[in-house]
Amino acid sequence: MIQSEMLLSRPDHLLLRYARAMMCFTLFVPHPRHILMVGLGGGSLLKFCHRYLPGTRITVLELRADVIALREQFMVPPDDARLRIIETDAVSYIRQHPASADVLLLDGFDASGLPPALGSARFYADCLRALVPGGVLVANLFNYDPHYAAMLGRLMLTFRGQVCHFDGIAGNNRIIFAARPERHQPGRSVRMVRLVRWRALFGLGYVNRLLPPWQLWRLRRRQRAPDSNVVA
């Protein structure tokens, strides 16, 4: 199974469908100040976010030193003011950093699949606390995982039902979006969850496959826009 893939000529290009689908978090939070990623892998999501979200800080949590050691081979940019890759246990790190991220991307797998600790009720509760108001969690799960239904149920309970996914955009990968519940006026992320559910209810889910390429095009266009306005 291929978990990461890269074009040598375009190292920040997203090739895999699930990675493109995860970038749909920008529909929920268009201008995140801080993205917290669980799992480095080949750095595909990191590289894309680092290039096309220039106003965003990115922190990546990776448990394995040997994965981090390959960062240069996968053309992952060096740490700087906007980027940090930390060798650490994501479970304890997230528990110790409440209200620290606008977006939390969960894509941490080992040779056996998703570690149980990254799908537990306690972990999801810590993830909720790690999000700022208006924040969103994005979880990459496999729909054939025997624990999939239980994990989805935990997310629904923890995020008080503010959970959705786009059908048909990532094969066997089920990309779950969970918005931080709002006590008063619902923010954009909660409204987006409701919109996704409404579209599915009225049979508009078939257009989902167009969303990732459309959103990636918008992000690339947005990043290039300032250059086009420069006056010589």
Side-chain angles (χ1 to χ4, degrees):
M1 179 180 296
I2 298 175
Q3 294 186 343
S4 190
E5 190 173 2
M6 179 184 73
L7 284 176
L8 291 174
S9 59
R10 297 178 62 191
D12 52 27
H13 183 65
L14 293 178
L15 291 174
L16 299 183
R17 290 173 62 190
Y18 94 87
R20 296 177 183 178
M22 290 188 75
M23 282 304 304
C24 284
F25 75 79
T26 50
L27 294 168
F28 298 77
V29 185
H31 301 281
R33 291 163 296 181
H34 183 211
I35 297 174
L36 188 57
M37 298 185 181
V38 175
L40 173 61
S44 299
L45 286 169
L46 180 163
K47 287 180 288 188
F48 188 90
C49 290
H50 191 262
R51 175 168 181 180
Y52 293 108
L53 297 174
T56 302
R57 289 190 303 112
I58 304 166
T59 302
V60 184
L61 311 178
E62 173 55 55
L63 184 63
R64 294 177 50 181
D66 57 337
V67 172
I68 297 175
L70 294 172
R71 64 183 295 171
E72 291 186 4
Q73 290 179 251
F74 281 91
M75 301 184 185
V76 173
D79 284 10
D80 56 24
R82 293 179 47 228
L83 170 63
R84 280 197 311 157
I85 298 177
I86 305 173
E87 181 187 344
T88 188
D89 173 27
V91 173
S92 33
Y93 183 96
I94 289 174
R95 184 175 302 143
Q96 296 166 15
H97 291 79
S100 61
D102 303 273
V103 176
L104 181 51
L105 301 179
L106 305 183
D107 190 27
F109 290 84
D110 58 24
S112 303
L114 183 70
L118 296 183
S120 69
R122 181 175 181 180
F123 177 68
Y124 288 147
D126 291 335
C127 288
L128 175 62
R129 285 189 290 270
L131 291 172
V132 300
V136 65
L137 173 148
V138 187
N140 175 28
L141 305 176
F142 288 107
N143 58 9
Y144 55 77
D145 188 319
H147 304 292
Y148 171 75
M151 289 186 289
L152 182 59
R154 292 175 196 135
L155 281 169
M156 290 288 291
L157 182 63
T158 302
F159 285 81
R160 302 177 198 166
Q162 302 300 330
V163 177
C164 68
H165 68 275
F166 297 100
D167 281 326
I169 64 174
N172 289 324
N173 295 77
R174 186 62 54 87
I175 310 303
I176 308 297
F177 299 86
R180 187 179 187 270
E182 305 289 346
R183 292 184 179 180
H184 304 292
Q185 185 70 18
R188 180 189 176 106
S189 58
V190 170
R191 295 197 304 270
M192 189 66 197
V193 167
R194 295 175 181 176
L195 176 61
V196 172
R197 289 178 165 182
W198 179 86
R199 291 172 64 253
L201 181 65
F202 286 90
L204 299 176
Y206 68 93
V207 300
N208 287 343
R209 66 183 181 275
L210 303 176
L211 278 174
W214 174 76
Q215 187 63 4
L216 295 183
W217 174 81
R218 289 183 70 230
L219 290 170
R220 288 190 290 263
R221 184 173 179 270
R222 186 176 77 184
Q223 198 271 343
R224 291 193 297 263
D227 296 333
S228 64
N229 294 327
V230 172
V231 179

